[in-house]
Amino acid sequence: MPVPARLPVPLVSLLAALVAASAVLLGAGSAEAAGYRYWSFWQGNGTTWEYATQGPSLLRPDDGTVQGFRFAVSEDSGDASQPRRAPDFGAICADTPAKDGSKRVALVIDAGTAADAPDGEEPPALRTACAQVAPDASSAEALAAVAKPLRYDSSAMLCAISGYPKSGCGEQVSGDSGSAEPSAPAKTPGDRDRGEEGDGGGPSVGLVVGIGAVVLLGAAGVVQARRRR
């Protein structure tokens, strides 16, 4: 009865090391997945929401605009959670008649779910409001007219609406445990350059490990074929 050819011990060791390295790298990639807990800012576009390209302190909405604020954990604007109510100006401002010398801005304020809330806090219920403000008022001023107190950090990032949350501002939340860590000063949640999420080009470490494993398996096949002759 023929005896199966065995792989040389050094080859087995290298293959085992590559498999172990792959598992470690995959595990590290999952553990490093993280998001930021913050209020995102949205603009209504018909029946849908679009992530705002300017902050509420800079944007000056027109009369009849609908704007939304949603508190949640997300990595960036690409996966940010939208307000859970449609941007319907007519419904939100139905009881606020137009008035000369002012504009109306409909607001949807969605504090999110308990899963996204900081430890020990309960998110307030979603609500809407119709702010009637001066024609040149910013979105931040419209929000302040109906949802005080607001809290900002030193870089003018919106941290709290109507006092929620009580503390924190755009803190980083680790993906594996949900614990909060201080966010990097240079990173603004929702405005990070997506190009920074990669490694700057070139193959990933995981890809290199995978190629190495294929090469070693090929070498093992050659050794087995030669021993059968």
Side-chain angles (χ1 to χ4, degrees), residues 7-17 215-221 223:
L7 295 178
V9 173
L11 192 59
V12 173
S13 299
L14 282 174
L15 187 56
V215 171
L216 281 179
L217 287 172
V223 171

Side-chain angles (χ1 to χ4, degrees), residues 36-89:
Y36 293 85
R37 182 184 285 124
Y38 70 104
W39 282 99
S40 57
F41 179 40
W42 301 81
Q43 292 180 277
N45 182 13
T47 59
T48 61
W49 291 107
E50 293 181 354
Y51 199 91
T53 57
Q54 290 182 294
S57 61
L58 297 176
L59 190 63
R60 299 187 182 279
D62 295 328
D63 179 69
T65 297
V66 186
Q67 300 190 323
F69 295 85
R70 172 68 191 268
F71 189 78
V73 174
S74 59
E75 291 187 31
D76 55 30
S77 59
D79 76 336
S81 299
Q82 299 182 5
R84 293 171 295 170
R85 174 158 177 173
D88 188 342
F89 177 84

Side-chain angles (χ1 to χ4, degrees), residues 107-176:
L107 300 170
V108 176
I109 304 169
D110 185 352
T113 66
D116 290 327
D119 291 342
E121 294 200 55
E122 184 72 21
L126 181 153
R127 72 185 185 96
T128 62
C130 186
Q132 195 157 41
V133 291
D136 62 346
S138 66
S139 300
E141 290 170 322
L143 181 63
V146 297
K148 288 181 178 179
L150 306 181
R151 178 166 55 86
Y152 292 88
D153 69 2
S154 59
S155 62
M157 178 178 174
L158 180 61
C159 303
I161 297 177
S162 297
Y164 180 80
K166 295 177 182 177
S167 61
C169 192
E171 66 268 21
Q172 187 173 349
V173 181
S174 62
D176 54 345

